[in-house]
Amino acid sequence: MTDAPEITPIERDVMEYDVVTVGAGPAGLAFAIRLKQLNPEISVCVIEKASTIGAHILSGAVIETGPLNALLPNWRDNPPPICVPVTSDEFWLLTKEGEYRLPVPPGMNNHHGNVIVSLGAMCAWLAPQAEALGVEIYPGFAAAETLHDTDGTVTGVRIGDMGVAKDGSHKPGYTAGIDIRAKVTVLAEGARGHLTKRLIKRFGLDADSDPQGYSIGIKELWQVPEDRVTPGKVVHSFGWPADNQTYGGSFLYHLDKGRIALGYVTGLDYKDPEYKPWEAFQQWKNHPTVKPLLEGGSIVSAGARAIVTGGWQSLPKVEMPGALLIGDTAGLLNVPKIKGTHQAIRSGMLAAEHLVASQLAPEGFDAKLRASDAMAELKKVRNIKPGFKRGLWFGMLNAAWETVTGGRSPWTLKNKPDWSSLDKVGEHESPKRDYIDRTLAPRDRLAGVYFATTEHDEDQPVHLQVLDTNICVTRCAEEYDNPCTRFCPANVYEIVADEAGKRLQINAANCVHCKTCDIKDPYEIINWVTPEGGAGPNYQNL
């Protein structure tokens, strides 16, 4: 009997900082800027999995400027490259053939100081301002795992290795990922961050909160004849093409220079296993009220992203030994307003102020956040999104009640995990999809992926880990008709048949990192992890 060969541990370079921030979105960058404003001696780095800052950022986005004013009082002297003051608001209830113009809900009233931005461009604009203060920013660095002390305290992150082949072997250009060690790790990964997901489980951070809820937002940026665009006009709609049991609605924002940002949001608590969020968006684009704006135009960029929608009752504990959660990673988006950027900036600033005051001790941040304006805002609207689980019309009446009372209802509606909401095939009759023929680009999801300009090295480990593919072709096929083949906006998942029978095919190179599969899979067997750093979509001004 021979001894098994010893596995030589990989030697890794180590970088040390006072603080490491995972994610260069608005929360992570606002945090780093505020930290340096308060104490220039604190060393802080921001790591970002995208190849460039902003390349993975996708949002509507109309933003409230109050927190940005507080962070950078003179920002209007040198505004982000896309920044259009809101001039008007409209709110539509759509039918298949037409629309009803309704009063704009108070939370959607934007033409009193709000601006339309490209959040990706805004983050690319924020980054050099952070660097000017001494923040070190590293795009193309994907945090693969967290580092821990013997007692479990988070001590930093490990960057994923580069040059690993699909079979796990090392390619000629292999480079071991470095360890970034820090006194505090700040997670600003956005909705459904994969490190945050693990840490919530490890530390039981959600023990006293409801499960988190999500929507999927699918967005396109169009170039159209300039005379069709009314810069600053903001339109939101609900109704068709969603049925009364499916939470869904659109946004249509008129930018400058003949550009229109438009998108469709579907709640991932939908019930119908045959529902296709991407197709619902394309149907809405071909509505007779929307289509004339786009005909003859061209798509500049397109993509999709999960949106965190659980609100006040789903906020996990946001501190743990050695680490904090901020922004969408914590779950701070205000659903009725369809806004999270101001909350992200606000929470990032609050975290920086807390760490400076506490001499880099995370303890106490959870209580500070819960006592802040960010949470007061969420508490007022906590019952609005859950009310739609009982259907569109109950949801609208409930939203009106909660708005009139300022959220003072003596009850708090509960949230359930989105993966648990799907009906099984045949359990209930599928809603009639009152769909129309569509002619606007793109023709299908693969064509849509082209406009995301997503890139992954094909020869790397698949970053969509399905724990038991046998379930896919047996139980899931029978019980839910493989909903992953429909809810993914990028055609990543396919059931194919060959000589060996049916099998799941994962087209990982298509992935736009929206995380929908990790959220909606009814068996919870899809685990999204980061691919090699720099891989993924390359969004242009989304």
Side-chain angles (χ1 to χ4, degrees):
M1 182 174 174
T2 58
D3 293 331
E6 288 188 16
I7 298 174
T8 305
I10 296 172
E11 286 191 19
R12 298 181 182 275
D13 290 336
V14 176
M15 297 169 68
E16 296 195 9
Y17 293 89
D18 293 320
V19 182
V20 59
T21 308
V22 182
L29 291 172
F31 164 78
I33 288 170
R34 188 68 181 135
L35 197 65
K36 280 292 194 178
Q37 287 173 341
L38 293 170
N39 186 346
E41 301 305 312
I42 295 177
S43 61
V44 56
C45 81
V46 179
I47 58 173
E48 166 58 46
K49 65 184 175 69
S51 57
T52 58
I53 303 303
H56 289 183
I57 300 287
L58 183 150
S59 180
V62 174
I63 66 168
E64 292 186 4
T65 58
L68 186 58
N69 295 339
L71 179 69
L72 299 169
N74 299 319
W75 70 270
R76 292 178 192 272
D77 296 339
N78 176 32
I82 295 178
C83 184
V84 181
V86 177
T87 56
S88 65
D89 287 289
E90 293 182 10
F91 188 54
W92 302 347
L93 167 60
L94 296 185
T95 63
K96 184 178 178 182
E97 280 89 23
E99 84 285 344
Y100 296 97
R101 307 288 173 106
L102 302 180
V104 177
M108 291 183 175
N109 193 329
N110 292 294
H111 61 281
H112 296 297
N114 293 349
V115 294
I116 312 170
V117 300
S118 155
L119 195 58
M122 180 176 151
C123 290
W125 166 84
L126 277 173
Q129 299 184 65
E131 289 175 319
L133 294 169
V135 177
E136 295 182 32
I137 301 178
Y138 300 107
F141 276 45
E145 56 188 295
T146 47
L147 303 173
H148 298 265
D149 226 334
T150 52
D151 64 357
T153 298
V154 181
T155 58
V157 294
R158 174 165 292 166
I159 304 304
D161 297 348
M162 304 285 281
V164 179
K166 204 165 191 174
D167 63 4
S169 63
H170 292 175
K171 294 188 281 190
Y174 171 78
T175 306
I178 62 174
D179 285 351
I180 301 181
R181 298 194 173 273
K183 297 169 185 172
V184 183
T185 302
V186 175
L187 283 304
E189 300 179 282
R192 194 68 167 192
H194 87 117
L195 297 184
T196 302
K197 176 182 165 184
R198 294 182 205 170
L199 291 170
I200 286 174
K201 185 174 183 179
R202 177 170 184 153
F203 289 99
L205 302 179
D206 57 352
D208 299 320
S209 61
D210 286 357
Q212 190 54 267
Y214 300 88
S215 295
I216 177 174
I218 306 173
K219 180 182 177 181
E220 294 172 358
L221 178 66
W222 279 67
Q223 185 75 47
V224 301
E226 202 157 344
D227 59 1
R228 295 184 195 171
V229 178
T230 307
K233 182 177 179 179
V234 167
V235 180
H236 293 102
S237 82
F238 69 104
W240 188 89
D243 62 89
N244 287 345
Q245 297 302 309
T246 303
Y247 183 87
S250 75
F251 61 88
L252 195 156
Y253 303 153
H254 291 238
L255 304 174
D256 54 4
K257 301 176 182 176
R259 294 177 292 192
I260 295 178
L262 61 152
Y264 197 83
V265 175
T266 294
L268 288 177
D269 55 356
Y270 68 82
K271 299 176 182 178
D272 179 13
E274 303 296 333
Y275 186 69
K276 302 174 183 177
W278 188 87
E279 179 61 30
F281 173 40
Q282 301 307 320
Q283 287 286 322
W284 170 81
K285 278 167 49 184
N286 283 267
H287 187 274
T289 309
V290 179
K291 189 175 182 179
L293 277 171
L294 305 177
E295 278 184 308
S298 58
I299 302 174
V300 177
S301 190
R305 189 71 176 93
I307 303 167
V308 62
T309 60
W312 185 79
Q313 54 271 59
S314 293
L315 188 86
K317 190 175 182 183
V318 295
E319 68 179 61
M320 68 208 86
L324 300 176
L325 310 179
I326 59 174
D328 272 1
T329 288
L332 296 176
L333 182 131
N334 182 321
V335 177
K337 283 185 177 181
I338 328 177
K339 291 181 182 64
T341 303
H342 68 293
Q343 292 278 78
I345 294 172
R346 183 185 269 166
S347 66
M349 293 174 67
L350 194 69
E353 290 157 7
H354 172 77
L355 289 180
V356 169
S358 67
Q359 297 183 314
L360 300 182
E363 293 78 20
F365 177 63
D366 185 77
K368 186 166 286 186
L369 180 66
R370 290 177 193 275
S372 72
D373 290 343
M375 285 304 287
E377 180 175 315
L378 292 188
K379 187 173 183 181
K380 287 181 182 177
V381 299
R382 69 193 183 282
N383 288 328
I384 292 181
K385 171 66 168 61
F388 285 92
K389 294 183 189 300
R390 302 187 194 180
L392 175 63
W393 301 113
F394 179 89
M396 293 297 290
L397 288 170
N398 176 67
W401 162 260
E402 293 291 339
T403 301
V404 167
T405 62
R408 293 185 182 88
S409 298
W411 57 81
T412 295
L413 301 179
K414 305 291 283 182
N415 289 323
K416 295 179 180 178
D418 293 321
W419 60 262
S420 69
S421 64
L422 276 182
D423 289 339
K424 291 183 177 177
V425 172
E427 191 172 1
H428 295 103
E429 185 178 348
S430 287
K432 182 188 175 190
R433 298 285 167 216
D434 200 16
Y435 282 176
I436 58 179
D437 291 333
R438 54 182 182 82
T439 57
L440 293 174
R443 66 184 179 279
D444 56 29
R445 288 178 291 173
L446 274 181
V449 169
Y450 168 81
F451 294 107
T453 55
T454 193
E455 291 182 27
H456 297 84
D457 182 351
E458 297 271 6
D459 188 18
Q460 67 171 299
V462 172
H463 67 281
L464 302 149
Q465 300 173 348
V466 181
L467 304 183
D468 184 353
T469 56
N470 186 54
I471 287 177
C472 304
V473 294
T474 54
R475 283 183 60 195
C476 189
E478 181 182 333
E479 294 180 339
Y480 296 103
D481 192 25
N482 299 115
C484 65
T485 62
R486 291 177 293 281
F487 60 55
C488 172
N491 207 44
V492 168
Y493 300 95
E494 289 186 271
I495 301 295
V496 298
D498 53 27
E499 312 82 52
K502 285 187 175 182
R503 62 180 174 83
L504 174 68
Q505 177 172 298
I506 301 175
N507 306 310
N510 291 0
C511 181
V512 295
H513 299 196
C514 73
K515 317 286 181 69
T516 302
C517 56
D518 193 300
I519 296 162
K520 188 60 177 172
D521 169 54
Y523 301 98
E524 293 187 282
I525 59 170
I526 300 177
N527 190 34
W528 190 100
V529 300
T530 52
E532 200 169 88
N538 287 282
Y539 295 144
Q540 304 299 313
N541 293 327
L542 287 187

